[in-house]
Amino acid sequence: MRDKSYDLIVIGGGPGGYVAAIRAGQLGLDTLVVERESMGGVCLNWGCIPSKALISATGLVDRISHAQAMGIEVQGLRIDVPKLQGWKDGIVKKLTSGVANLVKSSGGAIVEGSARLTGAHTVLVTSADGKSESYVARKGIIIATGATPLQIPGFDIDSEVVITAREAVSLQRAPETLVLIGGGVIGMELGMVYQKLGTKVVVVEMLPRLLSGVDPDLVKVVERKFKKAGGEILLEARAKSCQVQGGRAVVTVEQGGQERSIDCDKVLVAVGFRPNSAELGLADTGVATDARGHIVVDDMLKTNVPGVYAIGDVTGMPYLAHRAMKQGEVAAEVVAGHKSACDFRAMPSAIFTDPEIATVGLSESQAKEEGIAIKIGKFPFAASGRAMAMAETDGFVKTIVDAENDQVLGVGVVGPEASELIAESTLAIEMCAYAQDVSLTIHSHPTLSEAMDESFRHALKEAIHIINK
Ligand code: NAD
């Protein structure tokens, strides 16, 4: 049988892969996307989008139940979890079918199956019924296969009692007690969802702090709220084993030389992800990977094998959908013969805890480690009229500027709408702006964005609504 040939074959239809396919279509490339599950990848099916739907719904419940000071008292507030899940599933369906339509509308084709490289220009696709078909990529192959939750010894994922984020976004009932193994991004985001549904949440984190990599002063605001809502945090704690019986689990944790057993009805293992690179035939094709299995790429997303490109989580940290999307766009442009490359000087990151944390550029800790002389500005939301009017005054904006010339180096926000507020400072860093560029910009009143303005002013000792110490 004759091989089917395309200009470009994209393996994986997640945020990296589908963006690459759409951009390739815009550039006139005849493109095939191979996807073994559902279009949209982890992000749309059981990651970013479903978790944000649950976060916004449970955030609303939380705000209503804490609105007495506004004169709002609700009795008998009830959450229908299966209905909430149905609403969330509707959003997922709309978006996954939406991206499939966008790929097709831009001229791309989609085939269901698992792909494996059989050469630098050939791919074998095996569908669920075991049938295989070979495809030829005339101009390039883009690998966008993403990553999978890591497992730890002693914690067998049974998808019922011991679960990963995949199952955690689809529970039909809020657990009474949830033990979270890993106090990272997924653990804290989903832990706070279930906390708002009435679950007692216990975090077991092996490091001395939660959300490592984020400045401790930002994390403290989230930690305080988590504890205030009844959450328990075990730091420098090792999850040793887990006994599952009768739909419950007993987790054994070692902390400070002492062992403790925690009885619970769900255990969420959220200890990081590993790249999906093992079953792609990379070794046979000579595509280089690092010690953890990430595919090594340059800033044009080229691997060491000409014609083979890789994007997204399979290429390494940080595992962020918007990084994958940008890489997808650039890879498609490179395959189409354009001069394009990735520059991640300004890569924002948002954590959808309560309150949200968002960062971009250099953190205070990184600046200190690197010995860079900095000036710091801070503006608390407690001093923002808009935050007060929203009854969301926890948190602050922290700006980090170069002490010598006031250039914007980094920003961290913990507070309401942090994930939206970070966009302004991402642009500031991208454009190599100075603190004065932001403070000379007129910000609407009354908005949360004034806190960004004020924080930069504070770094310059020119804040208006707080004392410049
Ligand atoms: P993570 O790396 O954010 O956190 C994992 C945590 O588990 C770490 O703090 C680690 O110290 C801890 N840990 C590891 N082994 C442990 C053990 N045996 N016992 C106790 N603790 C242990 O990973 P994640 O939360 O699973 O998220 C996976 C990836 O997805 C991350 O790279 C994350 O950035 C990304 N993600 C991002 C977002 C977002 O940007 N909003 C949301 C979800 C996931």
Side-chain angles (χ1 to χ4, degrees):
M1 192 174 54
R2 193 181 152 268
D3 279 342
K4 295 187 175 177
S5 76
Y6 289 84
D7 288 332
L8 170 66
I9 296 177
V10 180
I11 306 176
Y18 83 70
V19 168
I22 293 169
R23 184 72 186 122
Q26 290 169 355
L27 298 170
L29 297 177
D30 181 23
T31 302
L32 174 71
V33 178
V34 188
E35 170 56 58
R36 65 180 175 189
E37 291 187 40
S38 169
M39 286 295 287
V42 170
C43 175
L44 264 55
N45 288 287
W46 56 270
C48 328
I49 298 295
S51 64
K52 262 81 267 177
L54 298 181
I55 287 165
S56 77
T58 53
L60 180 61
V61 170
D62 191 57
R63 285 201 303 282
I64 293 173
S65 43
H66 290 98
Q68 290 87 347
M70 288 173 160
I72 300 170
E73 283 187 35
V74 178
Q75 257 135 44
L77 184 64
R78 200 181 71 84
I79 307 141
D80 182 334
V81 179
K83 197 164 175 184
L84 167 62
Q85 289 293 2
W87 168 72
K88 178 246 356 181
D89 290 342
I91 296 169
V92 170
K93 202 164 167 214
K94 211 176 277 176
L95 288 173
T96 51
S97 56
V99 297
N101 286 336
L102 286 171
V103 169
K104 288 177 194 159
S105 305
S106 65
I110 300 171
V111 64
E112 213 178 292
S114 292
R116 185 183 168 83
L117 267 65
T118 46
H121 300 280
T122 50
V123 168
L124 186 72
V125 178
T126 307
S127 54
D129 60 10
K131 288 193 186 128
S132 294
E133 188 140 24
S134 189
Y135 295 87
V136 172
R138 290 186 293 265
K139 296 190 173 163
I141 296 171
I142 298 178
I143 302 170
T145 49
T148 300
L150 273 171
Q151 298 200 19
I152 47 171
F155 288 77
D156 294 331
I157 307 297
D158 62 12
S159 303
E160 288 289 334
V161 178
V162 186
I163 60 174
T164 67
R166 192 177 190 123
E167 295 81 27
V169 294
S170 292
L171 298 184
Q172 296 298 314
R173 191 179 62 81
E176 274 167 39
T177 308
L178 170 69
V179 174
L180 272 176
I181 315 294
V185 181
I186 291 182
M188 293 312 292
E189 284 188 0
L190 292 179
M192 291 184 104
V193 163
Y194 282 102
Q195 204 174 39
K196 290 179 170 58
L197 292 175
T199 300
K200 158 89 183 167
V201 182
V202 183
V203 180
V204 180
E205 168 58 55
M206 67 179 189
L207 296 178
R209 43 188 301 248
L210 299 176
L211 299 169
S212 68
V214 180
D215 276 342
D217 53 347
L218 297 165
V219 176
K220 198 164 273 170
V221 178
V222 171
E223 195 175 320
R224 208 182 300 130
K225 193 149 186 186
F226 177 80
K227 282 186 181 161
K228 202 172 159 198
E232 196 179 340
I233 301 168
L234 307 177
L235 296 176
E236 294 182 90
R238 204 165 67 85
K240 284 187 73 179
S241 61
C242 176
Q243 304 297 314
V244 178
Q245 206 174 19
R248 298 188 68 80
V250 176
V251 177
T252 306
V253 178
E254 189 189 299
Q255 190 189 30
Q258 307 256 313
E259 269 194 12
R260 174 179 162 188
S261 297
I262 311 168
D263 178 71
C264 60
D265 45 352
K266 292 272 182 239
V267 182
L268 170 56
V269 180
V271 294
F273 273 39
R274 66 175 164 79
N276 291 326
S277 61
E279 291 155 15
L280 290 169
L282 298 181
D284 297 342
T285 322
V287 175
T289 54
D290 68 14
R292 291 191 55 198
H294 294 121
I295 300 176
V296 181
V297 289
D298 63 13
D299 59 2
M300 294 169 83
L301 293 320
K302 292 177 176 180
T303 68
N304 60 318
V305 174
V308 180
Y309 302 76
I311 59 174
D313 294 356
V314 77
T315 65
M317 307 285 279
Y319 290 170
L320 295 170
H322 48 269
R323 169 177 173 268
M325 288 171 160
K326 188 67 196 168
Q327 288 179 320
E329 199 181 325
V330 169
E333 289 168 357
V334 173
V335 174
H338 290 233
K339 278 192 176 166
S340 190
C342 284
D343 173 4
F344 288 130
R345 175 186 159 78
M347 170 109 76
S349 160
I351 306 175
F352 296 82
T353 42
D354 179 13
E356 295 179 353
I357 295 178
T359 57
V360 66
L362 218 58
S363 67
E364 181 182 354
S365 324
Q366 280 170 326
K368 284 181 179 158
E369 270 165 34
E370 291 174 28
I372 301 170
I374 53 169
K375 286 197 283 200
I376 289 181
K378 254 191 185 182
F379 188 83
F381 284 109
S384 152
R386 183 62 194 271
M388 279 184 225
M390 292 165 68
E392 301 264 353
T393 51
D394 285 344
F396 54 86
V397 177
K398 176 163 81 167
T399 46
I400 295 140
V401 304
D402 192 315
E404 277 180 21
N405 58 10
D406 295 334
Q407 190 171 356
V408 182
L409 298 179
V411 173
V413 185
V414 57
E417 308 293 345
S419 58
E420 302 289 342
L421 290 173
I422 205 69
E424 179 182 17
S425 38
T426 305
L427 182 64
I429 294 179
E430 171 64 28
M431 297 195 72
C432 303
Y434 294 86
Q436 291 84 348
D437 290 314
V438 183
S439 67
L440 284 169
T441 304
I442 299 172
H443 291 72
S444 294
H445 178 75
T447 62
L448 297 173
S449 70
E450 289 169 295
M452 184 67 71
D453 180 12
E454 287 280 16
S455 183
F456 277 108
R457 287 169 180 267
H458 187 236
L460 301 170
K461 298 211 182 309
E462 291 173 1
I464 301 294
H465 294 93
I466 48 168
I467 295 159
N468 293 287
K469 276 197 273 193

